Amino acid sequence: MVKKRNKATKATQEHRAPASSVGEDEQLMTDLFAALDTRDQLAQQETPAVPHVLQSLNAVTKKQDSKARHLARQARKAANLAQHTSTTDPAADAQVEWETRQETALINRVCDELGVHVHEINPDGHCLFSAIADQLALLNILPPSQANYATVRAAAADYMLQHPDDFLPFIPSISGEDGVGATADTGLMSATQFARYCLSIRDTGAWGGEPEILALSRAYNVPILVVQGGNPPTVVHKPGNTLLDPADRHARAARISFHRRKYGLGEHYNSLRPKHTLATVTDKIQSIFS
């Protein structure tokens, strides 16, 4: 009974707060968005000097076995062919365009239900980590000055290295049953291969996916909701076993979108920000009385 009276008192005090407090919250959110947008613009304009990345890549390349080198050569050939081959099938082009429109419409519908909009992330190979960094800043989990892909990449890699048993079964070995010419191998990475994989996530532009999202959800102890154009419309990654309704716009969670067709790159991630700051403040006030 005491807790209920305290909660009721607190709600009454919040309700009686002067209107200026809402304006101050709105201004704080506006300033945060501006700081994040400025950071994004600078990141797109600058090309960071990362000699240690090249050294890491060279070290990985030297350690690759013949199967890995063969696979790398095949990937380069495929990329070169795709770059110099234009699609001449109008029907195929129309199908791709239709699928892209459908995906965008489905994602926008879920965004409308959640009261968020797609905030474009630079398509530079770091999009997943940049999108999550943007969300962590909005949730005050990371300060804006540290909310960047480098910080988030390091967090994902460190967590995975510390919990290998949670991730090894979901990352196929390049020389396992999914590798070139392999038949009887289990397909699982060795400890050395897994460590090398995690270092590539930390130090290079390697793309991230489901394992990295789960690792970041646990590392930062926050649910990460991925809105997509498929089924289910929202994929939930949670740090624990607590129940979470993905349709609850008031739930404290990082929200990003996954696009299978974006910028001609295939897969891309964006951040989902509140549509406007006033709605965000209003939602916070409403959640007090819910």
Side-chain angles (χ1 to χ4, degrees), residues 10 32 62 67 74 80 96 122 150 168 186 200 273:
K10 180 179 179 181
L32 177 57
K62 291 180 181 178
K67 293 179 182 178
Q74 292 298 102
N80 185 64
V96 170
N122 190 27
L168 270 172
T186 63
S200 72
R273 291 182 176 181

Side-chain angles (χ1 to χ4, degrees), residues 5-287:
R5 286 198 299 271
N6 290 340
K7 184 175 182 181
T9 302
K10 180 179 179 181
T12 304
Q13 292 173 348
E14 292 288 342
H15 181 69
R16 293 177 179 175
S20 60
S21 63
V22 176
E24 293 173 357
D25 287 346
E26 182 176 0
Q27 185 60 45
L28 288 174
M29 290 293 293
T30 301
D31 293 342
L32 177 57
F33 285 161
L36 292 173
D37 289 338
T38 300
R39 181 209 62 197
D40 291 344
Q41 293 171 4
L42 292 175
Q44 294 180 26
Q45 294 172 0
E46 297 177 357
T47 302
V50 284
H52 65 283
V53 171
L54 298 179
Q55 294 174 1
S56 177
L57 282 171
N58 291 334
V60 171
T61 302
K62 291 180 181 178
K63 294 180 180 179
Q64 287 180 325
D65 56 22
S66 59
K67 293 179 182 178
R69 289 194 296 271
H70 172 77
L71 186 60
R73 287 196 297 271
Q74 292 298 102
R76 287 195 296 270
K77 289 180 181 179
N80 185 64
L81 179 63
Q83 183 178 0
H84 294 88
T85 301
S86 59
T87 302
T88 57
D89 186 350
D93 289 343
Q95 178 67 20
V96 170
E97 184 178 352
W98 180 84
E99 291 176 357
T100 302
R101 289 199 304 269
Q102 286 294 104
E103 178 184 60
T104 301
L106 290 172
I107 291 175
N108 287 340
R109 185 185 68 186
V110 177
C111 288
D112 289 340
E113 294 171 355
L114 293 173
V116 298
H117 75 278
V118 175
H119 172 71
E120 295 288 343
I121 296 296
N122 190 27
D124 56 1
H126 304 292
C127 59
L128 169 63
F129 305 99
S130 295
I132 293 178
D134 187 75
Q135 288 291 302
L136 294 176
L138 295 179
L139 294 171
N140 295 320
I141 295 175
L142 282 180
S145 61
Q146 297 179 21
N148 53 64
Y149 67 76
T151 299
V152 177
R153 277 185 175 277
D158 290 345
Y159 187 90
M160 294 172 71
L161 282 170
Q162 294 168 12
H163 304 83
D165 293 341
D166 293 343
F167 300 96
L168 270 172
F170 306 101
I171 305 176
S173 169
I174 195 171
S175 58
E177 62 182 2
D178 298 321
V180 179
T183 56
D185 197 280
T186 63
L188 297 179
M189 285 186 174
S190 66
T192 301
Q193 288 175 324
F194 180 70
R196 191 180 304 163
Y197 172 87
C198 293
L199 291 178
S200 72
I201 291 296
R202 186 192 69 187
D203 296 331
T204 76
W207 284 19
E210 295 287 318
E212 289 73 31
I213 297 174
L214 179 58
L216 289 168
S217 174
R218 294 177 178 178
Y220 289 107
N221 193 34
V222 63
I224 299 178
L225 309 185
V226 184
V227 175
Q228 60 178 5
N231 189 28
T234 303
V235 179
V236 179
H237 302 268
K238 299 183 298 181
N241 297 322
T242 57
L243 295 177
L244 177 67
D245 181 4
D248 182 5
R249 65 165 62 186
H250 304 300
R252 178 177 169 79
R255 294 178 174 85
I256 61 177
S257 57
F258 172 62
H259 309 258
R260 286 181 173 82
R261 300 184 181 279
K262 194 77 170 177
Y263 303 118
L265 299 175
E267 299 180 352
H268 181 71
Y269 291 91
N270 281 318
S271 175
L272 299 180
R273 291 182 176 181
K275 283 190 174 181
H276 47 79
T277 57
L278 182 58
T280 303
V281 175
T282 303
D283 287 345
K284 289 183 178 179
I285 295 175
Q286 291 176 348
S287 66

